[in-house]
Amino acid sequence: MKLARSLVSKTAPAYVQFYLTSRCNLACEQCNIIYADASAREMNIGQIRKMAENLSEIGVCIVLLIGGEPFVRRDLPDIIKAFTDVDIHVRMQTNGLASREMLESCIAAGGHDISISLDSLRPSLQDTINGGFNKSWDRALSTIATVNEIFPDNATAFLNSVLMRRNLDDLQDVVRFATAIGWGVSIVPAHVSSPEEPRGFRAFDDDGVVGFPREVWPDVRRSIDILKAQRKEGLNLYDSDEYLEDIYRFVTGQPLQWRRRNGGVCDSPDLYFAISPNGNMKVCCDYELDTSYPVHHPDFPTWYRDGRIHGETQSFTRACGGCMYGSYPEITISARYLKPMIERFLHFNVKPPKLQKLSVAELRDIAATILFERTGEMEDRNKPGSADREMGTIRV
């Protein structure tokens, strides 16, 4: 009900992305967060508790704990509890670093919603996308198995997949895999930036493996059409048709349509915004405000309500050509288009996917079968590939 009121009134943020840290044990090709936010000092738990109170006061419904890799913070369960204590729903995100012990602590703190990054069912390709780290795909599968085993029956789990030049034919496999194991899928197209202007989720595409040159546009079109057909078949692809069509427009440089019912701008900060590791409010994951507005500051609710934040944010949103960072477009679409709003309600409240308790071996078999049915090939995990680095641990 709180979320519904937010989407209907559009006067309280439904959703906030909180970048806990820029630290990460991977170096994914499509992510520059370790560069974009590297200078931002992380908040302590006291500041985060105050921030959670302020977010609750202005009506925030959902917070996504993102990074970097959120699970490098050993106080993550305390961070989750800071939000659940004030009735804010928490979604955790991980690349597979999460240990069983940490996941159990997060569940005890009230975290029952998780997403894991997975871009392919081909282990060697996933390892390459993740920066050349051996067995990062295996680590993600192990975490998926743990989630399915220990999370409560009413838990929500998603695979986050980035559409990029390397994996145009792979996302249909990920959707089939997710459906088989009781997960959902959310897709984001790769965004490209430059070293002169690094942004958190915009890749440096020096090698030409992330972006979408004109010659691959027909392949992108085919991929989008397959994904839409999978949605029609009832597979667990969260994204709306409206959003999927805008992925193609984004890739091919056409004007985006998801903002057309709001004067061609996004809904930040009315429905969503982002927070950097140091607690400063951001327009989104791309843009910092010129003025510093620490969300943990006692006056933040006043700043939000008196219009100063909105005025400064709109100077960015009016000039922005638009992004396709999944959650932002989909929340606007859900708030402004009736059909997607109904689909969201049904997905989360009437027919939510049910996690299937499967072992790692069973997950591997499902993935291998899906891959074989499409390609006729079985990948040999013992065959040397392009991934040559071991997945590291991070001292906290």
Side-chain angles (χ1 to χ4, degrees):
M1 292 303 299
K2 184 178 178 183
L3 177 59
R5 285 195 297 271
S6 175
L7 294 177
V8 171
S9 69
K10 303 174 187 61
T11 58
Y15 170 83
V16 165
Q17 286 187 352
F18 173 28
Y19 292 81
L20 287 173
T21 179
S22 63
R23 291 176 289 158
C24 192
N25 59 323
L26 297 180
C28 298
E29 292 177 324
Q30 71 276 18
C31 177
N32 282 330
I33 198 71
I34 57 176
Y35 307 106
D37 276 350
S39 62
R41 182 175 181 175
E42 296 172 13
M43 283 187 287
N44 60 43
I45 188 62
Q47 292 171 315
I48 292 173
R49 288 193 182 105
K50 182 56 184 175
M51 181 179 74
E53 292 170 3
N54 286 344
L55 292 178
S56 179
E57 185 174 339
I58 66 171
V60 171
C61 304
I62 301 169
V63 62
L64 172 66
L65 302 181
I66 194 172
E69 171 52 52
F71 280 83
V72 306
R73 287 199 59 154
R74 294 179 182 175
D75 60 350
L76 183 59
D78 295 328
I79 293 171
I80 291 170
K81 195 170 188 307
F83 291 102
T84 58
D85 278 350
V86 292
D87 197 29
I88 294 177
H89 179 88
V90 173
R91 169 168 288 176
M92 303 165 280
Q93 186 162 320
T94 180
N95 60 34
L97 177 65
S99 68
R100 183 188 185 96
E101 179 183 12
M102 180 64 87
L103 285 169
E104 288 174 340
S105 297
C106 291
I107 292 170
H112 303 154
D113 188 339
I114 192 167
S115 62
I116 294 180
S117 300
L118 193 74
D119 309 299
S120 174
L121 297 189
R122 291 185 281 169
S124 61
L125 176 58
Q126 186 66 63
D127 291 350
T128 298
I129 290 172
N130 287 348
F133 286 87
N134 257 329
K135 300 190 181 301
S136 58
W137 185 88
D138 301 81
R139 182 74 173 267
L141 241 63
S142 178
T143 303
I144 290 170
T146 301
V147 168
N148 281 11
E149 177 187 351
I150 69 175
F151 270 54
D153 290 339
N154 62 345
T156 301
F158 274 86
L159 298 177
N160 284 336
S161 303
V162 178
L163 178 74
M164 50 198 294
R165 189 177 184 182
R166 285 193 187 277
N167 69 343
L168 288 175
D169 290 323
D170 289 67
L171 295 188
Q172 58 180 296
D173 300 335
V174 175
V175 173
R176 290 184 60 198
F177 177 72
T179 304
I181 67 172
W183 288 50
V185 177
S186 183
I187 292 170
V188 176
H191 293 54
V192 177
S193 185
S194 65
E196 293 75 30
E197 191 178 8
R199 296 178 186 171
F201 284 96
R202 293 184 183 254
F204 299 155
D205 193 26
D206 296 336
D207 299 326
V209 297
V210 176
F212 304 96
R214 183 178 293 271
E215 60 265 25
V216 305
W217 290 359
D219 297 322
V220 175
R221 179 71 265 174
R222 185 183 71 251
S223 179
I224 295 297
D225 289 342
I226 291 172
L227 293 171
K228 289 176 66 177
Q230 288 183 314
R231 282 194 77 248
K232 190 174 181 180
E233 292 169 16
L235 275 65
N236 294 350
L237 177 58
Y238 172 81
D239 302 307
S240 64
D241 285 349
E242 180 93 21
Y243 173 81
L244 292 171
E245 280 301 315
D246 257 349
I247 288 181
Y248 183 73
R249 295 186 187 100
F250 178 78
V251 164
T252 56
Q254 301 177 55
L256 302 182
Q257 297 297 308
W258 64 268
R259 306 176 302 166
R260 69 182 183 274
R261 292 187 178 177
N262 191 38
V265 300
C266 71
D267 278 296
S268 176
D270 292 308
L271 283 175
Y272 40 75
F273 56 84
I275 302 171
S276 67
N278 63 11
N280 285 341
M281 180 189 160
K282 301 174 67 172
V283 178
C284 59
C285 43
D286 269 349
Y287 295 111
E288 298 268 4
L289 292 168
D290 294 330
T291 305
S292 175
Y293 294 104
V295 184
H296 54 80
H297 194 282
D299 293 333
F300 180 80
T302 300
W303 298 336
Y304 184 83
R305 290 177 177 134
D306 69 12
R308 71 185 75 182
I309 286 176
H310 289 70
E312 191 166 335
T313 298
Q314 287 166 10
S315 67
F316 287 87
T317 57
R318 284 194 297 266
C320 178
C323 74
M324 289 303 298
Y325 295 129
S327 299
Y328 302 129
E330 284 290 27
I331 289 176
T332 284
I333 290 169
S334 295
R336 297 183 179 277
Y337 301 82
L338 181 60
K339 182 181 177 182
M341 182 184 293
I342 294 172
E343 290 175 346
R344 298 294 178 270
F345 177 81
L346 294 175
H347 179 91
F348 288 107
N349 296 282
V350 180
K351 298 179 180 178
K354 182 176 176 58
L355 303 183
Q356 302 299 308
K357 298 188 184 301
L358 300 164
S359 68
V360 175
E362 288 171 321
L363 292 175
R364 289 179 189 276
D365 287 344
I366 292 170
T369 299
I370 291 171
L371 189 62
F372 180 77
E373 288 174 350
R374 181 176 65 83
T375 67
E377 299 177 359
M378 299 289 286
E379 179 162 328
D380 182 2
R381 288 297 280 145
N382 296 316
K383 180 181 178 180
S386 58
D388 56 10
R389 289 188 283 180
E390 291 298 325
M391 208 172 164
T393 57
I394 297 178
R395 186 176 300 278
V396 182

